């Protein structure tokens, strides 16, 4: 589903069925406004986020939930299909956490760059004993 949403942006139109066996990007126009795109860091690392900042706390929460989603997907597709409901719920929560994260500046003194989602183990960056 993600691929088709991005393709609609690229093609500038919604994907619609045009015949019994054919689909085409010929639906309603998809308007892309580059002014509505926030500046996010390229390939961010948790070490880019100031310790104790709101962006760091949200990034750590996002990373922990991301790891949970990956773990639950592994369980689901390794013989535990009963885990799918919890996995899907965690995926929706991950989206909400990501949306919350990108609304805050990466560094409070520079509101021009927003925090971005990252996909790494947050425990790797914690000092021993914390």
């Amino acid at each position: 589903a993600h691929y088709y949403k991005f393709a609609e942006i690229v093609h500038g139109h919604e994907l619609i069925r045009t015949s019994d066996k054919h689909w085409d990007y010929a639906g309603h126009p998809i308007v892309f406004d580059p002014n509505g795109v926030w500046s996010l860091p390229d390939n961010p690392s948790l070490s880019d986020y100031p310790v104790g900042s709101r962006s760091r706390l949200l990034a750590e929460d996002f990373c922990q939930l991301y790891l949970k989603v990956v773990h639950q997907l592994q369980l689901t597709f390794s013989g535990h299909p009963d885990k799918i409901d919890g996995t899907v719920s965690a995926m929706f929560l991950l989206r909400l956490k990501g949306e919350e994260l990108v609304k805050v500046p990466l560094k409070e003194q520079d509101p021009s760059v927003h925090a971005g989602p990252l996909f790494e183990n947050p425990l790797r960056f914690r000092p021993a004993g914390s």
Side-chain angles (χ1 to χ4, degrees):
H2 298 89
Y3 169 83
Y4 296 105
K5 289 292 182 192
F6 288 119
E8 286 178 338
I9 294 169
V10 170
H11 292 280
H13 290 275
E14 290 181 350
L15 181 64
I16 60 167
R17 181 177 287 204
T18 55
S19 69
D20 282 345
K21 296 183 181 182
H22 189 73
W23 293 76
D24 198 7
Y25 294 96
H28 291 100
I30 301 290
V31 179
F32 175 73
D33 178 9
N35 294 321
V37 177
W38 290 341
S39 178
L40 301 176
D42 293 331
N43 197 22
S45 172
L46 198 54
S47 61
D48 298 330
Y49 294 72
V51 174
S53 67
R54 179 158 169 72
S55 62
R56 174 70 175 243
L57 296 173
L58 292 172
E60 287 177 349
D61 284 350
F62 182 89
C63 287
Q64 289 172 354
L65 185 55
Y66 171 73
L67 289 176
K68 179 180 178 179
V69 167
V70 170
H71 176 73
Q72 286 186 236
L73 284 168
Q74 182 66 42
L75 282 174
T76 299
F77 293 107
S78 296
H80 300 279
D82 57 305
K83 303 287 185 190
I84 192 67
D85 289 342
T87 303
V88 171
S89 295
M91 291 170 74
F92 280 106
L93 183 56
L94 185 65
R95 176 184 175 177
L96 295 174
K97 289 280 185 187
E99 289 172 353
E100 183 180 10
L101 177 62
V102 300
K103 290 179 181 177
V104 299
L106 175 62
K107 297 178 180 167
E108 292 167 5
Q109 63 272 25
D110 181 9
S112 67
V113 177
H114 289 248
L118 48 156
F119 307 94
E120 56 192 39
N121 186 343
L123 300 178
R124 190 177 84 154
F125 293 92
R126 296 226 175 171
S130 65

